[in-house]
Amino acid sequence: MRLARLSAFAAAWAVGAFCMTLLAVVALPNAMGMRSFTVMSGSMEPTIHVGDVVIDKKISPLDARPGDVVTFSDPTGRKRLITHRIRSLRVQGNTVRVVTKGDANNAVERWTVPADGRIGRAELRVWKLGYPLVYAHSRFGLIGLVAMPAFLLCLVELRKIWKTPARERAHA
């Protein structure tokens, strides 16, 4: 009985620590003016893998340098973000012309951003944490992260109530 209780306690702590890590990867960067993104393609292999989380710091395009890994809006107009390495940049008046390329790609992207605009520079990569983050945003993930712990907490509390002798409940 004691071993089962100890195992349940350890499992609860492991799940709690995992959930806190997920929360930290999402919330802390936002609190510090950064953003986290889950990498969904292998275009930056082997530097950044599919499923990794990249934490970006917002910077002026004038502060970016060739070799920096940056996140920017897809220049083809699709509503997605791309994280690739800067090959070159050139300032022309109030516009910064940027050429980027994924480390595993053959083609480059050419795009522009206003000189007073913002892009993200990758500051940190968290290995494979994107998979549980993507799952957490799904219907089943939300149920698993919110409803299931609440349900388990209710069961634990009900068990305590039912286990307490009637005499002690009467005095409480």
Side-chain angles (χ1 to χ4, degrees):
M1 184 71 159
R2 183 165 165 75
L3 181 61
R5 204 178 272 180
L6 186 61
S7 296
F9 184 73
W13 268 100
V15 169
F18 180 73
C19 289
M20 293 303 292
T21 301
L22 285 178
L23 182 63
V25 166
V26 173
L28 285 179
N30 288 331
M32 297 174 14
M34 302 171 122
R35 290 183 61 189
S36 60
F37 302 99
T38 299
V39 176
M40 303 301 284
S41 79
S43 65
M44 282 299 294
E45 297 275 355
T47 307
I48 302 171
H49 303 283
V50 175
D52 289 354
V53 171
V54 174
I55 299 176
D56 281 358
K57 178 180 179 183
K58 293 177 188 174
I59 63 167
S60 165
L62 300 173
D63 293 333
R65 300 288 176 253
D68 286 349
V69 176
V70 296
T71 301
F72 55 94
S73 295
D74 187 343
T76 63
R78 290 187 275 177
K79 294 186 181 202
R80 66 179 183 147
L81 296 173
I82 299 174
T83 301
H84 283 168
R85 190 176 306 280
I86 294 178
R87 306 296 272 187
S88 67
L89 30 89
R90 189 175 67 210
V91 180
Q92 287 184 317
N94 289 335
T95 303
V96 179
R97 298 191 175 284
V98 186
V99 177
T100 52
K101 178 180 168 293
D103 291 354
N105 289 357
N106 294 325
V108 298
E109 303 90 24
R110 298 176 193 284
W111 49 280
T112 61
V113 61
D116 61 351
R118 292 275 181 229
I119 60 174
R121 179 173 50 210
E123 298 289 325
L124 180 66
R125 175 183 70 95
V126 183
W127 182 76
K128 300 296 182 194
L129 194 58
Y131 289 124
L133 283 176
V134 169
Y135 177 73
H137 284 87
S138 71
R139 176 181 291 166
F140 294 116
L142 288 172
I143 291 170
L145 291 175
V146 176
M148 289 302 291
F151 178 71
L152 292 173
L153 182 62
C154 287
L155 286 178
V156 167
E157 292 303 317
L158 284 173
R159 184 170 180 251
K160 285 180 185 177
I161 291 170
W162 290 331
K163 191 175 180 180
T164 306
R167 273 186 306 167
E168 291 180 24
R169 277 189 295 211
H171 291 85

